[in-house]
Amino acid sequence: MNHMITVFTASYNRGSLLPVLYKSLCAQTYHDFEWVIVDDGSTDQTDAIVTAFQQENLIRIQYVKQKNGGKHRAINHGVKLATGELFFIIDHDDWLPEDSLAKLSHYYDEIRENSQFAGVCGMRFTPEGERIGGDVLFSVQDMTLNDFYYKYKYKGDLGVAFKTEILEKYPFPDFPGEKFCSESCIWLKISGAYLLRFFNENIYICKYLADGQSPASCRNRMKSPRGSVLLYRERLRMDTLIQYKIRNAINLWRFYFCLSPEYRKEAIQGIPFWSYFFFFWGFGMHLKDMKQEKRRI
């Protein structure tokens, strides 16, 4: 039996948070879905908690455990397991309003047979009811993910459900030894080739950290430089506003210096000539990162 929607969660030592999401899935008014959980090598009681969910037999749950390798590898694994036409990623500490999947299904039906579309996208909001990224004035829009961010000067994450077949075509890269690869690496590639149908309705409840460049985030990028340089190379290619291009060039060089020498030539192939003017600025940011990391240690 094929399920129209696969709700996907990657979990790592956060089993205690899953019951809230589970309860919200059980309360959905739309029932043609499955929940795929990829346990990224947890050492807590995640497996026992999920087994208890499965024994209740209220919703269909697929659960697998993999060696710890990062969320991006868990997503690749989940896409292979998915039986749904739509793939909706929900983090382990977030949950859904009861009409979330019904709304996704409704808007997906409108573009389901259109090969120009990669999926559908609703909005996120906090448990207090505040819209993530601020309020935007539109009803329904068809555009790329990148264009949406530019048009509305939007800051914050969205509730995107991609066609599973599209994600199968755009797997995350598997860089040996690296456990972090931003989801934006793949979302940007998809944005260069496909539209999304955006609808201005809340479908995803999350606890949001507005500063995406937190110390932990920077540390993850330093430890996974091939994925980090790939991210900023993609952003450099996709972004159109000069201020964003400059910022991406600086960040590309910033994490370039974390690379092993054998990967450096490959990492900067095809970048625009003008980006080399920000080489030393990026090096300065790298030195600052290294100094902060030494202080932390």
Side-chain angles (χ1 to χ4, degrees):
M1 177 179 180
N2 288 328
H3 295 258
M4 180 175 284
I5 299 174
T6 293
V7 176
F8 170 79
T9 301
S11 187
Y12 176 64
N13 285 341
R14 293 293 185 272
S16 62
L17 300 177
L18 291 175
V20 175
L21 173 54
Y22 171 65
K23 183 178 180 180
S24 77
L25 292 175
C26 291
Q28 291 298 302
T29 59
Y30 180 86
H31 304 292
D32 193 12
F33 73 93
E34 65 174 350
W35 188 19
V36 173
I37 305 168
V38 174
D39 183 340
D40 190 33
S42 296
T43 57
D44 63 359
Q45 298 299 311
T46 296
D47 51 355
I49 292 169
V50 176
T51 296
F53 297 160
Q54 291 174 317
Q55 290 173 345
E56 292 183 2
N57 200 31
L58 297 177
I59 58 175
R60 184 184 179 203
I61 301 174
Q62 290 195 68
Y63 171 77
V64 296
K65 190 168 186 175
Q66 67 176 25
K67 179 181 178 181
N68 179 247
K71 184 180 179 181
H72 63 295
R73 289 189 177 91
I75 293 173
N76 283 347
H77 197 165
V79 169
K80 292 178 182 178
L81 295 171
T83 63
E85 294 180 35
L86 275 182
F87 193 86
F88 190 28
I89 300 173
I90 310 295
D91 289 341
H92 47 228
D93 51 350
D94 300 331
W95 63 98
L96 303 178
E98 65 180 15
D99 58 354
S100 174
L101 300 185
K103 289 178 179 177
L104 281 178
S105 177
H106 169 74
Y107 287 102
Y108 175 62
D109 279 344
E110 297 175 348
I111 56 92
R112 186 178 185 184
E113 303 299 329
N114 192 327
S115 61
Q116 292 182 298
F117 285 85
V120 292
C121 182
M123 312 302 288
R124 297 192 185 199
F125 64 110
T126 69
E128 295 75 31
E130 182 180 348
R131 177 67 66 81
I132 299 298
D135 290 325
V136 284
L137 299 176
F138 78 98
S139 178
V140 176
Q141 291 273 7
D142 296 335
M143 59 178 64
T144 70
L145 186 60
N146 220 36
D147 287 345
F148 180 87
Y149 277 102
Y150 283 138
K151 178 174 181 177
Y152 294 105
K153 297 179 174 57
Y154 196 75
K155 298 184 184 299
D157 293 323
L158 294 159
V160 187
F162 288 104
K163 292 179 179 178
T164 305
E165 64 181 7
I166 298 295
L167 293 180
E168 289 173 344
K169 296 177 182 178
Y170 292 87
F172 285 89
D174 189 345
F175 296 128
E178 296 195 6
K179 295 185 178 181
F180 176 80
C181 184
S182 171
E183 291 168 57
S184 295
C185 286
I186 300 304
W187 301 172
L188 285 171
K189 287 185 177 181
I190 294 174
S191 182
Y194 295 95
L195 301 171
L196 290 173
R197 171 147 294 181
F198 293 85
F199 55 95
N200 196 5
E201 298 184 48
N202 292 335
I203 62 167
Y204 188 121
I205 306 169
C206 65
K207 300 173 183 177
Y208 183 69
L209 296 175
D211 184 4
Q213 290 297 324
S214 66
S217 177
C218 180
R219 195 174 307 126
N220 286 335
R221 285 168 167 77
M222 292 173 69
K223 291 180 178 179
S224 300
R226 294 179 72 186
S228 301
V229 170
L230 174 63
L231 168 65
Y232 292 110
R233 196 170 67 206
E234 283 297 314
R235 286 184 174 174
L236 199 58
R237 180 177 65 88
M238 293 294 296
D239 285 339
T240 56
L241 298 180
I242 186 62
Q243 63 266 36
Y244 292 148
K245 283 186 171 291
I246 291 173
R247 183 176 66 186
N248 292 328
I250 293 170
N251 278 318
L252 183 150
W253 293 116
R254 175 185 184 181
F255 297 106
Y256 167 85
F257 293 105
C258 297
L259 287 167
S260 299
E262 66 265 29
Y263 298 126
R264 289 183 176 179
K265 183 177 180 180
E266 173 192 8
I268 59 174
Q269 284 182 350
I271 66 172
F273 176 77
W274 62 263
S275 62
Y276 285 85
F277 290 104
F278 298 93
F279 178 90
F280 290 106
W281 197 337
F283 182 62
M285 292 289 291
H286 169 70
L287 293 178
K288 182 179 178 181
D289 291 340
M290 295 296 290
K291 186 176 181 179
Q292 290 178 340
E293 188 66 10
K294 287 181 180 178
R295 286 178 179 173
R296 185 186 70 86
I297 296 174

